[in-house]
Amino acid sequence: MKLIIAIIQDEDANRLVSELMNAGYGVTKLATTGGFLRSGNTTLLVGVEDERMDGCLHLIEKVCKSRKQITTSTPMAAGGIAGMYAHMPVEVTVGGATVFVVDVEQFHKY
Ligand code: 2BA
């Protein structure tokens, strides 16, 4: 069994949860915050049998889009050389999805 941890953008979360549930996956949705942008994102936990992992990854890849975001509140902007870059906008491409696949040693439901 695997635990899939997928960090995705809020905009994609509802659709991805629906698609995963419709396909019979169990999903837990967490409200999370990205360390770089310091803005909200969504983390999904999906426990899957090994043979269903590829199907789950395929849905994540299908639904999650990459988007450009402009930020002025990066760590560099906040703490850079004498605040030199404090108000310089920085464009970053976020997502589609950052996915970790972890082996599950044990799985219990009580
Ligand atoms: P954030 O940390 O808010 O990062 C948002 C986007 O900012 C990143 O998109 C990346 O394009 C850019 N970025 C991040 N760190 C940067 C840096 N030091 N310099 C320049 N640009 C930087 P993604 O790579 O698609 O990541 C989206 C979100 O996924 C991240 O939000 C974070 O919450 C999570 N994430 C990404 N890599 C991770 C990792 N290795 N471990 C844990 N979480 C991760």
Side-chain angles (χ1 to χ4, degrees):
M1 186 177 205
K2 308 285 187 203
L3 177 64
I4 296 175
I5 302 168
I7 303 163
I8 64 172
Q9 293 175 74
D10 292 344
E11 292 89 329
D12 296 321
N14 283 342
R15 184 171 160 222
L16 181 56
V17 169
S18 297
E19 294 228 10
L20 289 168
M21 297 294 295
N22 289 341
Y25 293 98
V27 184
T28 295
K29 180 181 165 209
L30 306 172
T32 46
T33 303
F36 187 70
L37 293 178
R38 313 280 167 95
S39 63
N41 55 25
T42 296
T43 298
L44 299 184
L45 305 180
V46 190
V48 293
E49 297 305 329
D50 289 9
E51 58 274 17
R52 302 204 65 212
M53 180 182 75
D54 286 344
C56 178
L57 294 176
H58 175 73
L59 281 177
I60 294 169
E61 188 179 10
K62 185 183 86 167
V63 170
C64 296
K65 311 288 179 211
S66 66
R67 297 179 181 87
K68 291 192 187 307
Q69 262 183 254
I70 306 280
T71 179
T72 53
S73 59
T74 65
M76 185 192 186
I81 309 162
M84 215 172 138
Y85 303 105
H87 299 293
M88 279 183 68
V90 178
E91 184 181 84
V92 293
T93 302
V94 186
T98 300
V99 180
F100 301 88
V101 179
V102 181
D103 280 321
V104 174
E105 197 170 311
Q106 293 188 30
F107 171 64
H108 303 286
K109 278 190 176 180
Y110 297 109

